[in-house]
Amino acid sequence: DGDFRAWCFTSEDGGFEYCDVPLCNACKNSNFEKCGCRDGNQADYRGSIHTTAGGKECLNWKDTILTPEAFPWAGLDENYCRNPVNRDGQAWCYFGQGVDDWDYCDVPFCGEECENANPETCGCRNSEQRDYRGTINTTVEGTECKRWEDAYWYTPEVFPLDGLEENYCRNPGGSLDKAWCIDVERSRQYCGVPYCDEFSTSKVCQESDPNECECANVYERDYTGTVDVTRSGLPCANWDNYNNSIVFETLPPDSLNYCRNPNRLDVFGVIVDKRDRAWCYTKDESGGPFNQGWDYCNIPVCGGNGATCAEADKTTCGCRNVDFADYRGDKSYDFEGYQCDGWNETDIIDIDVFPNAGLEGHNFCRNPNSSPYPWCSSWGIKLRCHVPSCDPCSCKPPNCDLDSNTESCGCPSALQAHDCCEESNDECKCEYLKVACRKSIEIGKADFCDEAFDMCCGGTADCMCSVTSSICFDNPGSVCNVAADYCCSSPDADSYHMCKCDFSNYVDSFYQIDFSEAMHSCTIISDMVLDNSTKVPLILGDIFASTSGEFWHNNDGWLEEESDYCTWHGISCDDDGNLVGIDLRNNNLTGFFPARHITKLHTLQSLILANNSLSGSIDYVLFYKTRFLSDIDLSMNQLNGAADILVSPAAKFVNFSHNN
C-alpha cells in the first residue's frame, strides 16, 4: 500500500505496528547530518536546516499533527527539516498550522556534487544535470524551448525545487538522464548542457605551459604549441581544409596545421566526437592507423617529470601509449552519455578471445581489440568512451626496448629499469636509467641522473663525467652541455672554461653539433687571451723574481722601464706583439719551476728552459692552460714527479729528459 516504513501484523484481525528498523546508508556518500539521499526522498536526513526553500522558519514538530511521539523513527527534533511520511521529493517542514502550510527545504542531495561544479554553466553527470541552473534554452537541434508553465505536467507548481524558470533547460524530477526541455512539438528534447566534470580549462597540470607542453588531465586541450607532425611522423593538414564540412568546438585561433584537440560538432552543434589527446588530420587522407586520415601527436608533457615514478592508477585513467587498453575503471557510458551494455551481451566481439582484457561481468569501457580508443557497445553499436588519459610519465612502455619510451620524460624508462631487469643486474638497470637521465636533461631537469650515476659506476665525480659523456656521444644534444659541466668541474674559472671549450670543440668536430653554451666558454678564453697583453710585463717580472733573475747569465732588457718586453733576452713575439716564445736555456735559472706564472701567458707557443737548476714538480695545469704551447724543453734540470702531458691541447715536441 506504499507505506513509508517496515511493519508487521500483530494480531489475526489485522492489527499491525511499525518496526524499529535502523536506517542504512541509503546512497553513495551518504551523510545524515549534511545531506539526504534522493532515492529515499531524504527521509534519512538528520541535519539542522530549519527553513524552507522559500526562507520561512519551520515550526517545531511538537506543534504539528506529525508529532515525535507518533513518528519516533523519523528524527523529528526541534524544527529541523525532515520527511516523516516519505513525501515525494525531499525533506520538508510545516511553517504554519494549516494542513497545506508546508514547503520543501533546500537540503543537499548526497553524492550529487561533482568536480568543477558550477550550476550557472554546467550540470553534474552524477545528478543527471538536475543541478543545472543556467540559461541555455535551445535543444541540441537548435530549436527554441517552450516555457515551463506551458509544459503541462512538468510545471513549476509540480516541481517547485527544480528551477523551472522561463524556458531554460532543466531535468525536473530526474525524468531523463540529462538536462532537456519541451520543443514546439511538445516533446522532450535534450539540450547541449555541458557536464561540469568533463573538462575545465582551469584544471590544468603542474608547470603548465600551453605553448610548449600539454596537460594529460585535460586531454591536451590546453596545448597551443607548434608541433605539426603525428606520432608516426606524418605531416599535419591545415584545419581550415575541413571547416566547410565539420565544425570544431574550442579550436584556438591561428591553429594552422598544428596539433590540437578540439571537439567535433555536427550541423546542429552537437558534439559528435571527443578525442583523448592532441591530434591532427594527415595530409595523406589515408594516413594514420586503420587509414582513418588522422592520428595522434606526441606532445611534451607539462610537469609530471619528477623523480618519483609511481605507476598510474588504471582504475581512474588509461595509458595512451597502449590506446587505453590498460584502463580498468568503472566508466560505463560513451562521450554523449549513452549507457553501455554488458560485454556478455555484445556480438561485436567474442569476449572469450580476449581473456585478459577485463571484460567479465560488467559494462565498463575497455579496449580489448587494439582499437585507437576505449569503447563499449549498446544495441549492437560500438560506442566510443571518453576515458581520462593518465599522466604519460607514469605509463610504462608496452615493451622493454631501450628506445620504446617515446615520451619526453624519464619516468617510463625508470619504470623499465625496475620491471625489465633482474634485481641483481645493475648493468641492465644502468642502461635504462641513462635513458631516463637523458630525457630529463632534454627538458631542462636532472631527474634520475643521480640514480644512473649510482647504478652505473658508484656516483664519483669521474663516474658522473663518464656517464654523461657516454649519453652525449650516443645521443648528441643538449645533454652534452651537462656532460661538459660534469667533466669540467673546477674551482678555477679559467680551467673550467678551457675544458668546456675543448669539450664543445671535440663534440662539434665529431658530431657537427654547435653547443652555444659551451662555445660561450671558447669566447671567454679568446677574450682572456686578448685582454692579457698588458699584464705580460708583470708576469715576466714574477718569473724573473722567482728564478733569481739578477744572477742569470744574461738578463739584458729585463725589467728596464719603458722597454718593450719583445726586446728582452730570450723573449720572442709575433707581428702583433703577442709573446709566443721564451728561450732561457743554459742561463742559470734557480729555484722552483715557475709553472703558475707561465700558465698566465696565454699566447705562449714555445718554452725552452733546458740546462738550468730548476726544482719542484711540473704542474699539469701548465700544459692545460697554455692553449697554444707546442714546443716544451725542460731537460737537464732537477724537476721531479709526474707530468700529465696528455692534457695539453697543442703539444708537439716535449723533452723532460735528465731530471730527477
Side-chain angles (χ1 to χ4, degrees), residues 113-118 122-127 129 194-200 203 217 219 331 333 386 388:
E113 305 83 7
C114 67
E115 193 170 7
N116 303 312
N118 185 349
C122 56
C124 291
R125 184 185 296 279
N126 52 5
S127 69
Q129 296 192 333
Y195 288 108
C196 299
D197 47 352
E198 192 68 22
F199 172 71
S200 169
K203 182 187 164 189
N217 62 332
Y219 307 107
K331 198 166 194 175
Y333 47 85
H386 199 36

Side-chain angles (χ1 to χ4, degrees), residues 395-468:
C395 293
K396 289 186 298 186
N399 57 59
C400 285
D401 292 343
L402 274 173
D403 297 329
S404 58
N405 177 11
T406 59
E407 301 299 338
S408 59
C409 47
C411 263
S413 298
L415 292 171
Q416 285 179 307
H418 180 270
D419 292 344
C420 297
C421 301
E422 294 182 3
E423 183 62 31
S424 60
N425 193 341
D426 291 350
E427 183 177 351
C428 172
K429 295 177 183 177
C430 168
E431 293 305 313
Y432 287 110
L433 289 172
K434 283 166 64 176
V435 175
C437 173
R438 170 176 62 83
K439 284 184 170 287
S440 294
I441 290 173
E442 288 172 349
I443 58 174
K445 298 176 179 288
D447 301 328
F448 314 108
C449 292
D450 286 343
E451 290 93 328
F453 300 152
D454 291 339
M455 188 62 64
C456 295
C457 47
T460 64
D462 287 344
C463 165
M464 297 175 188
C465 172
S466 174
V467 171
T468 52

Side-chain angles (χ1 to χ4, degrees), residues 148-222:
W148 287 105
E149 57 258 34
D150 300 329
Y152 296 104
W153 172 247
Y154 296 101
T155 64
E157 291 74 25
V158 178
F159 295 94
L161 299 177
D162 286 320
L164 302 185
E165 305 165 354
E166 305 290 337
N167 63 338
Y168 303 143
C169 298
R170 298 290 187 262
N171 187 11
S175 50
L176 294 181
D177 56 5
K178 61 185 298 186
W180 57 275
C181 70
I182 301 290
D183 67 5
V184 292
E185 301 295 331
R186 299 187 183 280
S187 63
R188 293 183 296 177
Q189 297 292 333
Y190 286 121
C191 300
V193 175
Y195 288 108
C196 299
D197 47 352
E198 192 68 22
F199 172 71
S200 169
T201 54
S202 63
K203 182 187 164 189
V204 293
C205 58
Q206 185 181 15
E207 300 178 28
S208 173
D209 184 353
N211 291 323
E212 299 294 336
C213 55
E214 54 83 5
C215 290
N217 62 332
V218 292
Y219 307 107
E220 301 186 5
R221 293 184 199 166
D222 60 318

Side-chain angles (χ1 to χ4, degrees), residues 598-610:
I598 295 174
T599 59
K600 300 175 183 177
L601 299 172
H602 299 307
T603 58
L604 187 64
Q605 299 177 17
S606 174
L607 176 66
I608 301 175
L609 301 179

